[in-house]
């Protein structure tokens, strides 16, 4: 078992290992357990046996749960169950479910304790760590939310064995991103055949990828500076999710977005890292993209959370592990978007 400490004003630990679902303990006596409807019943039962929640709240799977309507229903269930101020919300499932659970915890009674048990690779590496919680709007992804750090995170690697291969590879996008922006040793490990559920590289690679994010959020919880670097590839990724009405999964969208960001980085004088991002797309095998115009993508990119009064900003790379935040002229965005689409056609990733 590996343990990663997340510091700051509200420190907590992330535990990574097998069998953690059976050893869960929280100090709060009144616990609400939130999980997606597509989660294996075994995981729910094991969490219930360990935590003995007073209420268990199923929510729609994946991003279908990240709506204000679902949030409202969850808050009503918490109130009906008389969860007190010294109670707790536990999020069990993928990143979407834990995002929702965390926002419910931050909102209910102006904030109750929150714990998270991610069951997907994407949830473990990204959503569960760092305290970002929230839901989507029709106008864009994660536009409503709060910073609400968990009290603890448990990543039971046994849960990854139930994931379809495509879902596991989708989640690897965030680990690969951490390799590009901070720890290049992750790049070859993520693409190794030994990085798989039950594989010898799984726990160590997962823990090292989490450690990258833990270090960043320790230094910059509320994204005043360095934390923005974790959004490498996400400006286009969130746009692709929005323009396709979440027909593109988050991990697949990040894979696509990283390649676009690598092309922009090269166009603005950075090292050519497109070989890495092409290799990742070849390994990831994301679902092919439907046609998306530059104008449609730009509309949603302009709403990105890194935008300010002067417009959208992109996280780019001068070289491996050398990220920076900058504006990109629209002409360059347009030209590289066309080149990005050509690359995807070469990889048979455009429908």
């Amino acid at each position: 078992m590996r343990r990663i400490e997340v510091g700051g004003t509200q420190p907590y630990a992330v535990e990574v290992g097998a069998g953690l679902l059976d050893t869960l303990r929280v100090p709060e006596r009144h616990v609400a357990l939130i999980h997606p409807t597509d989660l294996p019943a075994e995981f729910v039962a094991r969490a219930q046996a360990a935590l003995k929640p007073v209420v268990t709240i199923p929510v729609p799977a994946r991003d279908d749960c990240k709506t204000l309507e679902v949030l409202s229903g969850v808050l009503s269930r918490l109130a009906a169950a008389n969860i007190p101020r010294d109670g707790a919300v536990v999020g069990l499932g993928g990143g979407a479910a834990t995002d929702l659970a965390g926002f419910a915890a931050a909102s209910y009674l102006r904030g109750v304790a929150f714990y998270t048990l991610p069951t997907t690779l994407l949830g473990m590496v990204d959503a569960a760590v760092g305290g970002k919680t929230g839901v989507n709007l029709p106008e864009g992804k994660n536009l409503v939310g709060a910073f609400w750090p968990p009290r603890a995170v448990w990543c039971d690697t046994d849960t990854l064995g139930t994931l379809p291969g495509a879902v596991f590879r989708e989640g690897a996008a965030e680990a690969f991103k951490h390799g590009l922006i901070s720890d290049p040793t992750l790049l070859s490990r993520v693409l190794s055949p030994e990085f798989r559920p039950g594989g010898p590289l799984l726990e160590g690679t997962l823990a090292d990828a989490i450690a990258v994010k833990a270090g960043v959020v320790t230094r910059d919880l509320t994204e005043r500076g360095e934390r923005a670097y974790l959004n490498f590839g996400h400006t286009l990724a969130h746009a692709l999710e929005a323009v396709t009405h979440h027909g593109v999964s988050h991990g697949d969208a990040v894979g696509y977005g990283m390649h676009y960001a690598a092309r922009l980085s090269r166009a603005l004088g950075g090292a050519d890292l497109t070989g890495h991002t092409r290799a990742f797309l070849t390994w990831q095998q994301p679902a092919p993209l439907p046609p998306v115009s530059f104008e449609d993508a730009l509309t949603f990119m302009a709403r990105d959370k890194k935008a300010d009064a002067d417009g959208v900003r992109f996280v780019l790379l001068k070289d491996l592990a050398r990220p920076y935040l900058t504006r990109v002229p629209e002409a360059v965005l347009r030209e590289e978007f066309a080149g990005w689409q050509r690359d995807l056609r070469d990889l048979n990733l455009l429908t």
Side-chain angles (χ1 to χ4, degrees):
M1 194 269 287
R2 295 277 297 269
R3 181 182 174 93
I4 302 102
E5 301 291 340
V6 184
T9 58
Q10 296 173 268
Y12 57 95
V14 181
E15 294 185 358
V16 181
L20 298 182
L21 269 179
D22 301 314
T23 61
L24 303 174
R25 297 291 184 272
V26 299
E28 292 80 11
R29 290 186 296 153
H30 297 83
V31 174
L33 178 65
I34 298 174
H35 70 88
T37 54
D38 64 345
L39 195 69
E42 173 202 351
F43 298 161
V44 178
R46 288 167 62 187
Q48 288 173 322
L51 296 169
K52 297 178 173 54
V54 297
V55 62
T56 298
I57 306 172
V59 296
R62 300 180 76 88
D63 269 73
D64 286 345
C65 77
K66 290 184 61 170
T67 69
L68 292 173
E69 291 76 16
V70 173
L71 174 67
S72 177
V74 168
L75 294 173
S76 291
R77 291 287 302 276
L78 296 177
N82 295 316
I83 299 296
R85 183 68 186 274
D86 61 354
V89 170
V90 177
L92 172 69
T98 58
D99 278 0
L100 170 72
F103 192 29
S107 306
Y108 180 70
L109 298 179
R110 297 187 177 90
V112 298
F114 173 50
Y115 300 85
T116 181
L117 292 88
T119 60
T120 65
L121 183 60
L122 185 64
M124 292 177 186
V125 174
D126 186 46
V129 180
K132 277 188 178 181
T133 70
V135 297
N136 305 327
L137 295 178
E139 290 78 14
K141 189 174 176 71
N142 294 327
L143 294 183
V144 181
F147 289 99
W148 195 248
R151 302 283 178 93
V153 179
W154 298 283
C155 301
D156 188 336
T157 54
D158 286 344
T159 64
L160 300 178
T162 66
L163 297 178
V167 176
F168 182 84
R169 293 191 302 273
E170 172 201 343
E174 296 287 358
F176 197 80
K177 176 206 70 182
H178 290 172
L180 289 169
I181 68 169
S182 180
D183 181 1
T185 71
L186 289 167
L187 301 177
S188 60
R189 286 188 279 165
V190 167
L191 300 185
S192 169
E194 304 305 314
F195 181 64
R196 64 180 189 277
L201 289 183
L202 178 66
E203 185 175 310
T205 302
L206 178 55
D208 288 346
I210 291 171
V212 170
K213 185 166 187 179
V216 171
V217 301
T218 293
R219 297 183 293 270
D220 180 22
L221 174 65
T222 56
E223 203 167 306
R224 301 296 181 185
E226 181 185 2
R227 185 165 182 170
Y229 298 158
L230 294 170
N231 287 301
F232 179 77
H234 285 55
T235 305
L236 178 60
H238 287 163
L240 294 175
E241 290 179 82
V243 78
T244 63
H245 306 287
H246 301 288
V248 178
S249 68
H250 179 68
D252 285 358
V254 171
Y256 285 125
M258 288 191 296
H259 187 58
Y260 183 56
R263 287 190 61 102
L264 292 176
S265 299
R266 182 180 62 186
L268 268 61
D272 185 358
L273 303 177
T274 59
H276 290 289
T277 52
R278 283 181 70 109
F280 179 76
L281 285 172
T282 300
W283 176 87
Q284 186 187 33
Q285 302 172 47
L289 275 178
V292 175
S293 71
F294 173 75
E295 285 70 23
D296 287 344
L298 185 62
T299 296
F300 287 101
M301 287 194 289
R303 296 173 184 161
D304 183 82
K305 296 186 298 299
K306 296 180 296 302
D308 59 17
D310 294 320
V312 67
R313 297 179 296 169
F314 284 78
V315 178
L316 302 181
L317 290 167
K318 294 178 182 178
D319 205 338
L320 288 176
R322 295 182 61 196
Y324 69 106
L325 195 62
T326 189
R327 303 185 197 285
V328 182
E330 185 173 326
V332 175
L333 293 176
R334 184 182 297 274
E335 180 179 355
E336 293 305 319
F337 191 87
W340 170 79
Q341 288 185 315
R342 288 194 298 272
D343 289 346
L344 298 190
R345 290 191 189 94
D346 291 343
L347 294 169
N348 294 315
L349 290 175
L350 279 183
T351 59

